[in-house]
């Protein structure tokens, strides 16, 4: 287990990530569904959304989503890797299965292109003629980096990668990961360092991320024959994309040459401990961003994603909080409330002496300026607001009773003898 010590910063903008729909959710089946249940759901949805019978504007997109989800889940190897790594899965690093390129974008299966895609409903340039604003650029720019040919238009040519066997995934970033963290009220007020334990994607230590067994070398890819490119057909358009089997390198892992630890992926999920700096003044549900401590990309050597830590702050038994102001109660004997005096009250920096004005009433409030919580943006602190709680004795000695009776006779005729 590796420990990383990083400096965290508040994430004011939140996580910005493309929404990707789970293939199980698309088909409406559970993650433990059998192949029979998956096939039954696929046939029903394919019939429902087939563009020849369903004229809704988004039928073609939904039909394609159903096809791609089935292509992924009907292949037990791809399904297992998706269940392990989640979104970002691009197919295995080994040789392609019979009948296609394997993984996302392979030629096998009932739908050309195979694999698992993400869809965009935005109407951007190049999406004309696709119902619901479906834009093939969005799919292949993100996952393949190839160009489009065919049809009546050219959809952007070379959209990433170099088209000559380059590696389109080298700049792909890893996914962000999130984890909750519970801290005390005073830790949030004063700031602290905490260790969180996460499971994240990292390079396989056995093969150093190569996906190869020791002594094995990559061979010329049998899918693209060393060109690093492949052509698939989708919706009547011929699309040239980076070869999915070899990632555009023109070379692939030979049969049986995959690393046993990572099954040729070059990546594994491993437990990791990360030390997070929590700044003073954070509030409940605040998110701390730890750059570069998220998942490594499943393809290539791009930057890691970020770790986002969501804070759950335990309430204090003494203080309440509103923004940077702190609220607390102070017990004041009734005679000090009448005559004035001083009492000790708790603050987040320790007990201090508070002056009680003469004639103070129950629930009067006194502000201690600058005794609140440090402001995250800018300098200075909030205030502490002290609410006076007047305490009355439950019993009196004879002398005390005599004095109170004398005072009562001076102000109330009912007590005069």
């Amino acid at each position: 287990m590796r420990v990383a010590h990083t400096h965290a910063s508040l994430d004011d903008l939140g996580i910005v990530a493309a929404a990707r729909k789970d293939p199980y959710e698309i088909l409406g089946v559970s993650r433990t569904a059998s192949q029979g249940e998956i096939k039954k759901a696929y046939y029903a949805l394919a019939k429902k959304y087939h563009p020849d019978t369903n004229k809704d504007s988004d039928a073609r997109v939904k039909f394609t989503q159903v096809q791609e989800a089935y292509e992924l889940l009907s292949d037990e190897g791809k399904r297992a890797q998706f269940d392990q790594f989640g979104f970002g899965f691009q197919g295995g690093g080994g040789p392609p299965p019979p009948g296609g390129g394997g993984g996302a974008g392979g030629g096998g299966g009932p739908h050309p292109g195979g694999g698992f895609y993400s869809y965009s409903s935005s109407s951007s340039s190049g999406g004309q003629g696709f119902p619901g604003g479906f834009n093939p650029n969005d799919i292949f720019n993100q996952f393949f980096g190839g160009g489009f040919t065919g049809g009546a238009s050219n959809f952007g040519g070379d959209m990433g990668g170099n088209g000559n066997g380059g590696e389109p995934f080298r700049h792909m970033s890893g996914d962000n990961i999130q984890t909750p963290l519970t801290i005390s009220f005073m830790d949030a007020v004063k700031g602290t360092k905490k260790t969180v334990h996460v499971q994240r994607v990292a390079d396989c230590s056995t093969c150093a991320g190569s996906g190869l067994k020791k002594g094995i070398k990559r061979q010329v890819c049998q899918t693209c024959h060393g060109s690093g490119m492949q052509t698939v057909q989708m919706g009547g358009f011929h699309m040239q994309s980076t070869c999915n089997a070899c990632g555009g390198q023109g070379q692939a892992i030979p049969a049986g040459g995959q690393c046993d630890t990572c099954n040729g992926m070059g990546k594994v999920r491993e437990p990791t401990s990360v030390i997070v700096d929590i700044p003073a003044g954070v509030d409940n549900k605040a998110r701390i961003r730890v750059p570069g401590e998220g998942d490594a990309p499943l393809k290539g050597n791009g930057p890691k994603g970020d770790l986002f830590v969501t804070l759950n702050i335990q309430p204090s038994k003494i203080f309440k909080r509103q923004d940077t102001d702190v609220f607390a109660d102070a017990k004041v004997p009734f005679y000090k409330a009448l005559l004035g005096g001083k009492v000790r009250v708790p603050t987040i920096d320790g007990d201090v002496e508070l002056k009680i004005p003469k004639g103070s009433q129950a629930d009067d409030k006194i502000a201690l300026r600058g005794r609140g919580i440090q402001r995250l943006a800018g300098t200075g602190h909030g205030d502490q607001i002290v609410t006076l709680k007047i305490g009355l004795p439950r019993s009196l000695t004879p002398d005390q009773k005599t004095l109170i009776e004398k005072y009562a006779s001076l102000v109330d005729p009912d007590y005069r003898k």
Side-chain angles (χ1 to χ4, degrees):
M1 181 179 293
R2 187 164 58 87
V3 177
H5 187 186
T6 62
H7 294 284
S9 60
L10 281 178
D11 173 37
D12 297 325
L13 299 179
I15 299 175
V16 180
R20 301 177 183 177
K21 210 167 184 184
D22 191 297
Y24 292 101
E25 182 181 341
I26 292 173
L27 295 182
V29 297
S30 69
R31 301 186 79 86
T32 58
S34 66
Q35 285 297 327
E37 292 171 327
I38 291 172
K39 182 178 291 186
K40 182 178 179 181
Y42 161 68
Y43 283 141
L45 291 172
K47 181 178 179 181
K48 178 179 178 181
Y49 293 116
H50 197 288
D52 291 344
T53 57
N54 191 325
K55 302 304 180 183
D56 290 346
S57 60
D58 60 349
R60 171 179 266 180
V61 174
K62 290 184 177 179
F63 179 73
T64 305
Q65 288 177 328
V66 170
Q67 293 273 31
E68 299 301 341
Y70 179 69
E71 176 74 4
L72 179 81
L73 298 184
S74 63
D75 185 312
E76 289 293 355
K78 297 179 187 177
R79 181 181 180 183
Q81 289 180 326
F82 174 81
D83 288 342
Q84 180 181 2
F85 292 103
F87 291 110
F89 161 61
Q90 299 293 330
H111 181 74
F116 184 73
Y117 300 111
S118 175
Y119 296 87
S120 170
S121 60
S122 61
S123 298
S124 57
S125 63
Q128 294 87 347
F130 290 85
F134 171 63
N135 187 350
N137 278 316
D138 294 337
I139 296 176
F140 284 82
N141 188 34
Q142 180 175 0
F143 288 98
F144 298 105
F148 290 75
T149 60
S153 305
N154 184 296
F155 291 93
D158 185 9
M159 300 190 303
N162 57 25
N164 296 310
E167 188 180 357
F169 302 105
R170 63 188 181 276
H171 298 306
M172 180 183 290
S173 298
D175 287 339
N176 298 325
I177 57 177
Q178 301 185 60
T179 189
L181 175 63
T182 299
I183 61 174
S184 69
F185 179 88
M186 290 306 298
D187 280 343
V189 168
K190 294 297 186 180
T192 186
K193 296 180 187 293
K194 292 290 183 179
T195 300
V196 296
H197 305 282
V198 295
Q199 294 274 344
R200 68 182 182 189
V201 176
D203 287 342
C204 174
S205 59
T206 303
C207 64
S210 70
L212 297 165
K213 286 182 178 178
K214 187 175 181 180
I216 301 295
K217 295 182 179 181
R218 291 180 179 267
Q219 299 177 350
V220 175
C221 175
Q222 298 302 306
T223 300
C224 67
H225 305 290
S227 69
M229 303 297 292
Q230 63 184 131
T231 301
V232 295
Q233 184 176 353
M234 184 176 182
F237 290 86
H238 293 280
M239 294 164 281
Q240 191 179 50
S241 66
T242 302
C243 177
N244 177 73
C246 64
Q249 297 179 359
Q251 297 178 329
I253 300 175
Q258 299 97 327
C259 169
D260 292 331
T261 302
C262 63
N263 196 31
M265 289 291 292
K267 309 288 180 180
V268 294
R269 282 201 178 275
E270 65 177 15
T272 304
S273 297
V274 181
I275 299 175
V276 181
D277 288 332
I278 300 174
V282 292
D283 209 343
N284 195 40
K285 301 305 179 185
R287 292 196 310 172
I288 306 295
R289 174 174 171 264
V290 188
E293 291 297 337
D295 286 344
L298 293 182
K299 292 282 188 178
N301 298 310
K304 295 179 181 178
D306 298 332
L307 169 64
F308 289 85
V309 181
T310 302
L311 300 180
N312 298 314
I313 300 176
Q314 296 174 324
S316 169
K317 295 180 180 180
I318 300 173
F319 304 105
K320 295 186 184 303
R321 174 179 182 173
Q322 182 176 337
D323 296 328
T324 57
D325 292 335
V326 174
F327 297 81
D329 295 338
K331 294 182 179 180
V332 181
F334 77 97
Y335 57 88
K336 285 191 178 181
L338 293 172
L339 303 175
K342 296 178 181 180
V343 296
R344 301 286 293 180
V345 297
T347 73
I348 59 175
D349 297 313
D351 291 353
V352 298
E353 199 169 67
L354 177 67
K355 184 177 180 180
I356 307 299
K358 296 178 181 179
S360 294
Q361 303 295 307
D363 294 329
D364 278 358
K365 292 177 172 52
I366 300 176
L368 297 176
R369 301 299 180 189
R371 286 285 185 178
I373 298 170
Q374 179 178 325
R375 295 184 178 91
L376 283 170
T379 58
H381 294 71
D383 301 326
Q384 177 166 325
I385 311 301
V386 180
T387 301
L388 304 184
K389 299 297 181 182
I390 309 301
L392 299 174
R394 293 185 177 276
S395 61
L396 298 172
T397 65
D399 289 342
Q400 291 171 340
K401 184 177 180 181
T402 298
L403 292 174
I404 294 297
E405 287 175 341
K406 183 175 182 180
Y407 171 77
S409 67
L410 294 174
V411 299
D412 190 336
D414 290 344
Y415 288 93
R416 296 172 187 167
K417 297 180 180 178

